[in-house]
């Protein structure tokens, strides 16, 4: 269906994609993934013929219809319903011609074609797509200009899905969607009858939709069968093989260098030494896996406060004299992990702003600890960062009176050290700007973190790092997100914001998904599980998360200890077998003492390896 051959793209003098080649299977559902800045959106634009590559070609069947969302949201006085219907260009053209044509034969052909493309069912199909993306009957017939940019992008997505292209290109389609719309889109795409290339950073979305992963890394493409979890397993195997191959190559390189050094000066062996020198020059270095600072999240832990942190008592909140939420009764304690659920527009952000003290109750009461500090993250904070200032300048302003060392330390927690701290915000990626915003809101070690869609600019690996950081954070977390994996891994309590109020959802996230999709009409869509069973499931999920956090910490500690012990062992062996280049303190020891120490360190290495293996296997048993 789609062949990419030696695609090369250079932007601003920098090579973004470097000879990338891939042959995609017919009717495949392909998940295109890669780190932020890897070039995924650039590649999609090349496929969509919106960007001319510097080299290579994109080949697809002649006459195949390609669909891609434009960057600008639709606007004007047309309604969402009219806009979606107009997206089927053939249907629209045939209907227009049928109104003007006077040729009986042509009119007959037009009606035959309209029947063939099922044109009579188009209005109901358009309405179903719009409903799935959150547009009720009234919203479908409002003018586009009355909607926000996010909702108009939903209309663009609906139009694309309605047009049914042979190749559907989707670049992070869930960014403007709530969880409910994401679930609908996922269900729609699973039965889509043509080829899909989908850029997404959502693990569950990829697992449930795609059948192949196309990984873009260092300008090259690699195609893996299966969903995201299958890709991760295969990538881990490849990385292990890469590390082993690199170690083997390094040993061979050292062996050649040693031979050259010992034999170049001898006439009898100079020719062999020259031959090995040429072999060494031809040896292509195997790339080393690098530690990526963009995965750095480290939330400072707050001091302890007595519970409760916040209580809402029959509170109402809204804007002007119009309440959005009423009859709010909610208690938040230290260590709570709460996910706010509900469709966009139901009031999740309004409730978050009330908890952050950005709004005051119109009625009822809110009580909070006087010493409580709140960190509130929104997408607006990312967008409002001064593009001409550096992270260091932003943090210095926000930590007025703090020492330069304290400012640098807070930036370092989020990967902004060295040159990154003094790089202008305008040159940072979306993920880097999101990390900076998180660094700014946590500068005072808040007791309560409120995160409204924190993952929109983060790739899969960065999202996983954020999850681990939140699980290691000792304060309270309230999160709004359409990323199910994040909610599953970080939230113990679910609060449903719906029908003008907010109430505890008595069930698991799976129960809520079933409720949204109406897969089981009995018991409110909760799968028939009893209240006690649902509470037990939530308790078990919380215990599993807590156990997973402890196991990850144990594995990391074991890795650190192994590295330290391996360095000790290497130093001891150098003192035993190469004393001229060894640590001076160790060369003073007798061979007996060195051997004794070596045995002790080797035993400790075995213990650390066993600890690491046990923690890793236990983590695998927990699913991550």
């Amino acid at each position: 269906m789609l062949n990419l051959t030696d695609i090369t793209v250079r932007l601003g003098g920098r090579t973004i994609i470097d000879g990338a080649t891939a042959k995609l299977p017919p009717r495949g559902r392909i998940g295109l993934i890669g780190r932020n800045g890897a070039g995924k959106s650039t590649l999609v634009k090349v496929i969509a013929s919106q960007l001319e590559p510097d080299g290579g070609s994109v080949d697809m069947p002649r006459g195949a219809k390609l669909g891609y969302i434009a960057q600008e949201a639709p606007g004007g006085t047309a309604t969402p319903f009219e806009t979606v219907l107009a997206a089927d260009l053939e249907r629209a053209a045939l209907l227009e011609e049928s109104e003007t044509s006077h040729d009986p034969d042509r009119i007959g052909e037009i009606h035959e074609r309209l029947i063939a493309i099922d044109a009579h069912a188009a209005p109901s199909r358009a309405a179903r797509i719009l409903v799935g993306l959150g547009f009720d009957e009234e919203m479908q017939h409002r003018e586009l200009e009355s909607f926000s940019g996010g909702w108009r992008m939903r209309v663009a997505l609906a139009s694309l899905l309605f047009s049914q292209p042979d190749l559907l290109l989707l670049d992070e389609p869930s960014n403007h969607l709530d969880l409910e719309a994401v679930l609908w889109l996922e269900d729609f795409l699973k039965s889509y009858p043509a080829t899909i290339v989908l850029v997404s950073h959502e693990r569950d979305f990829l697992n449930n939709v795609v059948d192949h992963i196309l990984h873009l890394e260092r300008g090259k493409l690699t195609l893996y069968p299966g969903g995201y979890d299958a890709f991760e397993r295969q990538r881990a195997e490849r990385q292990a093989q890469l590390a082993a191959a690199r170690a083997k190559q390094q040993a061979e390189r050292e062996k050649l260098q040693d031979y050259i050094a010992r034999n170049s000066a001898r006439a009898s062996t100079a020719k062999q030494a020259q031959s090995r020198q040429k072999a060494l020059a031809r040896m292509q270095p195997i790339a080393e896996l690098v530690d990526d600072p963009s995965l750095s999240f480290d939330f400072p832990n707050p001091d302890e406060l007595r519970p409760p942190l916040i209580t809402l008592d029959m509170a109402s909140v809204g804007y002007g004299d119009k309440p959005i939420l009423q009859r709010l009764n909610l208690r938040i304690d230290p260590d709570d992990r709460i996910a706010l659920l509900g469709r966009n527009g139901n009031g999740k952000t309004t409730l978050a702003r009330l908890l952050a003290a950005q709004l005051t109750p119109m009625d009822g009461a809110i009580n909070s600890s006087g010493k409580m500090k709140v960190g509130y993250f929104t997408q607006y904070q990312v967008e409002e960062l001064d593009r001409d200032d550096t992270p260091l300048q932003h943090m210095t302003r926000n930590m007025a009176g703090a020492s330069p060392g304290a400012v640098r330390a807070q930036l370092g927690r989020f990967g902004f050290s060295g040159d990154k701290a003094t790089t202008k915000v305008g040159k940072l990626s979306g993920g880097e700007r999101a990390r900076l915003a998180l660094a700014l809101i946590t500068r005072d070690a808040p007791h309560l973190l409120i995160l409204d869609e924190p993952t929109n600019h983060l790739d899969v690996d960065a999202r996983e790092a954020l999850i681990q950081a939140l699980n290691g954070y000792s304060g309270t977390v309230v999160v709004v997100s359409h990323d199910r994996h994040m909610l599953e891994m970080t939230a113990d309590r679910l609060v449903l914001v719906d029908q003008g109020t907010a109430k505890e959802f008595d069930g698991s996230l799976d129960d809520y998904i079933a409720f949204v999709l109406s897969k089981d009409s009995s018991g409110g869509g909760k799968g028939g599980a009893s209240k006690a069973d649902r509470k037990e499931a939530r308790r078990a999920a919380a215990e599993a998360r807590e156990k997973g956090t402890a196991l990850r910490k144990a594995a990391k500690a074991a890795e650190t200890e192994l590295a330290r012990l391996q360095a000790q062992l290497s130093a001891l062996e150098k003192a035993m077998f190469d004393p001229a280049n060894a640590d001076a303190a160790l060369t003073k020891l007798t061979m007996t003492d060195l051997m004794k120490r070596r045995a002790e360190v080797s035993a400790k290495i075995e213990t650390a390896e066993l600890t690491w293996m046990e923690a890793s296997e236990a983590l695998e048993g927990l699913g991550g």
Side-chain angles (χ1 to χ4, degrees), residues 270-320:
K271 189 174 182 180
Q272 292 90 328
Q274 288 175 0
S275 175
R276 283 164 173 76
Q277 182 70 55
K278 290 178 182 177
L280 184 63
R282 287 194 301 268
M283 190 180 290
Q284 293 296 317
I286 297 173
E288 184 176 10
L289 299 175
V290 295
D291 184 26
D292 192 341
S294 70
L295 302 182
S296 184
F297 296 88
D298 181 14
F299 298 105
N301 289 321
D303 52 6
E304 291 187 14
L305 290 180
R306 294 171 60 183
L309 286 183
I310 299 176
T311 56
L312 298 177
D313 183 12
M314 292 300 291
S316 298
V317 63
Y319 305 91

Side-chain angles (χ1 to χ4, degrees), residues 257-275:
Q257 288 172 333
D258 179 63
Y259 184 92
I260 293 165
R262 288 187 291 105
N263 294 281
S264 293
R266 296 184 193 171
S268 59
T269 57
K271 189 174 182 180
Q272 292 90 328
Q274 288 175 0
S275 175

Side-chain angles (χ1 to χ4, degrees), residues 41 76 174 176 361 407 434 544:
S41 295
S174 63
H176 300 285
V407 172

Side-chain angles (χ1 to χ4, degrees), residues 177-471:
L177 305 181
D178 49 34
L179 176 58
E180 290 76 4
V182 170
L183 292 171
W184 177 87
L185 178 61
E186 180 181 291
D187 215 39
F188 182 94
L189 294 179
K190 283 193 285 190
S191 59
Y192 192 75
T195 301
I196 300 171
V197 175
L198 165 68
V199 178
S200 178
H201 294 305
E202 294 188 36
R203 179 188 296 259
D204 286 5
F205 193 48
L206 290 167
N207 277 331
N208 293 331
V209 171
V210 308
D211 50 32
H212 286 78
I213 292 289
L214 186 62
H215 187 210
L216 178 58
E217 184 178 37
R218 297 177 183 177
K220 303 293 186 183
L221 288 169
T222 307
L223 187 66
Y224 295 83
Y228 185 82
D229 286 348
F231 155 74
E232 272 213 329
R233 287 192 295 271
Q234 294 172 77
R235 180 174 64 162
E237 291 169 3
R238 282 187 59 153
Q239 287 176 339
Q241 292 167 357
L242 185 67
R246 189 173 186 280
K248 183 178 179 181
Q249 185 192 67
Q250 185 60 27
E252 185 179 349
R253 182 183 292 277
E254 290 173 357
K255 186 176 178 181
L256 287 171
Q257 288 172 333
D258 179 63
Y259 184 92
I260 293 165
R262 288 187 291 105
N263 294 281
S264 293
R266 296 184 193 171
S268 59
T269 57
K271 189 174 182 180
Q272 292 90 328
Q274 288 175 0
S275 175
R276 283 164 173 76
Q277 182 70 55
K278 290 178 182 177
L280 184 63
R282 287 194 301 268
M283 190 180 290
Q284 293 296 317
I286 297 173
E288 184 176 10
L289 299 175
V290 295
D291 184 26
D292 192 341
S294 70
L295 302 182
S296 184
F297 296 88
D298 181 14
F299 298 105
N301 289 321
D303 52 6
E304 291 187 14
L305 290 180
R306 294 171 60 183
L309 286 183
I310 299 176
T311 56
L312 298 177
D313 183 12
M314 292 300 291
S316 298
V317 63
Y319 305 91
D321 58 357
K322 180 183 178 182
I324 303 297
L325 300 173
Q326 301 179 77
R327 306 181 307 282
L328 296 173
N329 293 294
L330 187 65
R331 170 177 168 144
I332 299 177
D333 289 326
D335 298 331
D336 267 345
R337 302 302 170 100
I338 299 172
L340 301 184
L341 306 175
R343 278 201 176 273
N344 284 356
N346 281 4
K348 297 190 299 291
T349 297
T350 300
L351 178 55
R353 293 188 65 192
L354 176 65
L355 297 176
Q358 291 191 358
L359 294 174
T360 56
M362 302 169 67
D363 196 9
I366 179 171
N367 297 297
S368 59
S369 171
K371 296 181 179 179
M372 182 182 68
K373 290 177 286 189
V374 178
Y376 181 32
F377 174 90
T378 71
Q379 289 302 312
Y380 297 111
Q381 290 165 325
V382 179
E383 294 162 7
E384 290 171 0
L385 291 169
D386 191 328
R387 297 176 66 86
D388 292 326
D389 278 355
T390 66
L392 183 59
Q393 289 170 319
H394 277 90
M395 191 63 71
T396 300
R397 272 199 308 272
N398 281 269
M399 293 181 66
S403 68
V407 172
R408 288 272 188 179
Q410 175 63 7
L411 286 171
R413 286 176 175 272
F414 291 83
F416 293 99
S417 56
D419 292 341
K420 274 296 178 187
T422 54
T423 300
K424 286 190 175 183
V425 167
K427 294 184 177 180
L428 299 178
S429 69
E432 288 170 331
R433 291 197 293 271
R435 274 192 293 118
L436 177 56
L438 287 166
L440 290 168
I441 67 158
T442 59
R443 64 190 182 277
D444 295 328
H447 303 88
L448 170 61
L449 265 182
I450 302 174
L451 307 176
D452 194 344
E453 296 292 358
T455 62
N456 272 4
H457 296 285
L458 303 181
D459 58 44
V460 184
D461 292 332
R463 291 178 187 214
E464 201 64 36
L466 175 60
I467 287 169
Q468 292 188 23
L470 287 173
N471 286 337

Side-chain angles (χ1 to χ4, degrees), residues 63-80:
K65 184 168 68 172
L66 183 146
Y68 174 64
I69 294 182
Q71 293 298 312
E72 291 188 10
T77 58
T79 67

Side-chain angles (χ1 to χ4, degrees), residues 35-201:
R35 300 305 312 279
N36 284 340
K40 302 182 297 298
S41 295
T42 299
L43 182 61
V44 169
K45 288 176 181 176
V46 169
I47 296 172
S49 299
Q50 293 201 351
L51 180 66
E52 188 71 26
D54 293 284
S57 62
V58 177
D59 301 307
M60 56 187 298
R62 185 183 299 275
K65 184 168 68 172
L66 183 146
Y68 174 64
I69 294 182
Q71 293 298 312
E72 291 188 10
T77 58
T79 67
F81 184 74
E82 292 167 344
T83 303
V84 171
L85 276 179
D88 189 336
L89 300 179
E90 182 184 11
R91 175 182 176 276
L94 288 170
L95 288 174
E96 183 178 354
E97 188 180 354
S98 71
E99 296 290 329
T100 57
S101 177
H102 301 291
D103 181 350
D105 292 335
R106 178 56 186 157
I107 292 174
E109 292 172 356
I110 291 171
H111 285 286
E112 283 181 9
R113 182 56 185 165
L114 287 171
I115 292 171
I117 64 175
D118 204 15
H120 71 284
S124 61
R125 188 161 60 87
R128 281 198 304 274
I129 292 173
L130 284 166
V131 167
L133 292 175
F135 292 86
D136 60 24
E137 179 71 19
E138 184 272 332
M139 293 172 72
Q140 290 182 34
H141 298 288
R142 276 167 43 193
E143 292 183 355
L144 282 172
E145 61 188 17
S146 68
F147 291 98
S148 68
W151 281 97
R152 284 187 283 123
M153 286 306 297
R154 290 193 189 203
V155 176
L157 175 60
S159 300
L160 177 61
L161 299 178
F162 178 77
S163 67
Q164 293 184 309
D166 302 305
L167 173 59
L168 179 60
L169 298 177
L170 297 172
D171 192 349
E172 298 200 55
S174 63
N175 266 6
H176 300 285
L177 305 181
D178 49 34
L179 176 58
E180 290 76 4
V182 170
L183 292 171
W184 177 87
L185 178 61
E186 180 181 291
D187 215 39
F188 182 94
L189 294 179
K190 283 193 285 190
S191 59
Y192 192 75
T195 301
I196 300 171
V197 175
L198 165 68
V199 178
S200 178
H201 294 305

